[in-house]
Amino acid sequence: MKLSVLPLLAASLSAVSAHEGHESKEFSTAHLLELEKKWGTDWGFSGISTFAHLPHVRCLSHPETAYDIGIIGAPFDTAVSYRPGARFGPRAIRAGSARQTSFRGFNPRAGINPYTSWASIIDCGDIPITPFDNALALRQMSEAYVELGDRPARSESRASSNAYHHKAKLLTLGGDHSIALPALRALKEVYKQPIAVVHFDAHLDTWHPAKYPSSWIDPEDESTPSFFNHGSMFWLAAKEGLIANTSSVHAGLRTRISGDDDADWVDDTQQGWKRILTDDIDDIGTRGIIDSIMQRVGTEYPVYLSIDIDVIDPGLAPGTGTPEPGGWTTRELIRILRGIEALNVVGADVVEVSPAYDGSAETTALAAAQVAYEVLTNMVKRGLMEEGKTAAASVGEAARDEL
């Protein structure tokens, strides 16, 4: 028997009877509620480290578990081009979320507590990903995302005409940024169409893989395993038709590009991306960034929100694999995320947290945990907005029927 099953089995047996040789004992609902009231709360510094102290289920091996939003870790970092270490990112972000609790989770800007609203949110644990074989790792992640992404949401019955409630959604804690490719593969399969991507990053991540020079590989052979890396996954996604190439946008760019001209930007434009540079915030402010994203993407098209923590300046978030000076502040990024809450986000990630390069205050992990909280808030609020539309449409139909 697998060790992970033993605690579940023990809990089930103890609920039915006492230890062997002792009299069976049943527990009343009132007694269980009293125990939960007395012992069911953790302080920020206590308890098992799940994201925001959420319930934990290994969702991949427990398909009977229903949820609306799952937090899934992707501890993978063997596709990086500079500093490894993001395999420890999911653990660090969970630790950074320790002060987030359901009893103190109200988000004043949104007017909701995402942890106590309509959505069932759970921590699904990590995808077990090999660190030895990137081709196998890509296959493992692709199959895991399809397995999790195609599950019905727990709240589906609450609003049968509300499409936002039909499929469970995932927020991934990375891991390096290459994990976006298998996530987009799964979303394309689930939603039967390309997905718009809103990409916060210092880097393009649309580079042709041959821009990483090597005389050992054929630049025309797209099956080359090294083509799967954290700077080329969106290039691969575009080649596979996974991205809506007239509705996607980069935000926070400030990277150096290849060669002696702007060929990287030309290639990026041909892939259908709009670029918002880090410096643009000085000219148009956070409101201008928000408006630019919303005008490009709209509110109805399904969106994958991908957030590389290096979009934040390394002075504020040093624990990342490819730091680029001159980035946005944590406050600016959070303000922009709050402004795009109307996006139809069907999946998201927070990636490239490498805690080995963080300081003793764990500022990068704290920033990533707050970013994840804002994304969750947006997902939950969008669900409430959709319920409002459904209710309004029903009222309108009833009024027309009366006429």
Side-chain angles (χ1 to χ4, degrees), residues 148-384:
L148 295 175
D150 200 34
R151 293 184 183 174
R154 193 195 72 165
S155 63
E156 181 179 8
S157 61
R158 297 176 72 248
S160 59
S161 60
N162 182 352
Y164 199 78
H165 291 274
H166 288 181
K167 291 292 183 182
K169 294 165 182 61
L170 295 176
L171 170 58
T172 302
L173 311 178
D176 73 51
H177 213 153
S178 64
I179 66 171
L181 177 62
L184 285 168
R185 284 177 173 176
L187 288 171
K188 169 75 178 298
E189 184 171 330
V190 170
Y191 288 90
K192 312 302 181 188
Q193 65 182 89
I195 306 299
V197 178
V198 176
H199 173 221
F200 289 90
D201 202 319
H203 310 93
L204 289 168
D205 292 349
T206 57
W207 280 290
H208 188 294
K211 289 294 179 78
Y212 294 103
S214 175
S215 61
W216 299 86
I217 62 172
D218 177 1
E220 302 301 321
D221 181 6
E222 294 178 10
S223 65
T224 301
S226 64
F227 275 22
F228 172 58
N229 63 70
H230 77 159
S232 300
M233 73 284 174
F234 288 137
W235 181 89
L236 291 170
K239 293 285 287 186
E240 295 180 20
L242 308 180
I243 297 177
N245 64 3
T246 58
S247 301
S248 296
V249 58
H250 306 292
L253 296 174
R254 60 187 183 278
T255 183
R256 294 168 296 280
I257 56 178
S258 309
D260 302 314
D261 55 26
D262 63 352
D264 286 346
W265 282 13
V266 173
D267 191 24
D268 185 74
T269 299
Q270 289 174 345
Q271 294 176 47
W273 292 84
K274 175 183 175 65
R275 291 180 297 280
I276 299 173
L277 306 183
T278 299
D279 291 348
D280 290 342
I281 203 167
D282 298 323
D283 300 320
I284 62 176
T286 55
R287 172 48 58 186
I289 303 293
I290 292 164
D291 291 344
S292 186
I293 293 171
M294 297 306 300
Q295 289 166 11
R296 173 71 169 180
V297 183
T299 60
E300 302 306 316
Y301 207 91
V303 172
Y304 185 74
L305 183 57
S306 189
I307 305 168
D308 189 323
I309 205 66
D310 71 24
V311 72
I312 299 174
D313 188 86
L316 300 171
T320 190
T322 46
E324 300 283 358
W328 285 340
T329 67
T330 310
R331 179 179 58 80
E332 288 167 338
L333 174 61
I334 290 171
R335 177 66 186 87
I336 293 167
L337 290 173
R338 291 172 174 177
I340 60 174
E341 64 181 14
L343 289 176
N344 181 22
V345 175
V346 296
D349 65 43
V350 182
V351 297
E352 296 287 352
V353 174
S354 297
Y357 311 108
D358 213 354
S360 59
E362 301 173 342
T363 53
T364 311
L366 286 170
Q370 182 66 26
V371 165
Y373 168 74
E374 299 294 344
V375 173
L376 287 172
T377 299
N378 287 2
M379 287 180 166
V380 174
K381 188 165 184 180
R382 173 70 190 215
L384 291 174

Side-chain angles (χ1 to χ4, degrees), residues 2 6 12 25-26 62 87 100 144 156 187 222 259 270 307 316 318 322 331 338 356 397 402:
K2 293 182 179 179
L6 291 176
S12 299
K25 184 176 182 180
E26 293 184 358
H62 289 275
R87 71 182 64 180
Q100 298 184 34
E156 181 179 8
L187 288 171
E222 294 178 10
Q270 289 174 345
I307 305 168
L316 300 171
T322 46
R331 179 179 58 80
R338 291 172 174 177
E397 267 185 41
E402 289 181 6

Side-chain angles (χ1 to χ4, degrees), residues 90-105:
R91 182 181 296 176
I93 297 171
R94 288 186 175 103
S97 74
R99 289 187 62 246
Q100 298 184 34
T101 59
S102 60
F103 65 82
R104 189 166 289 167

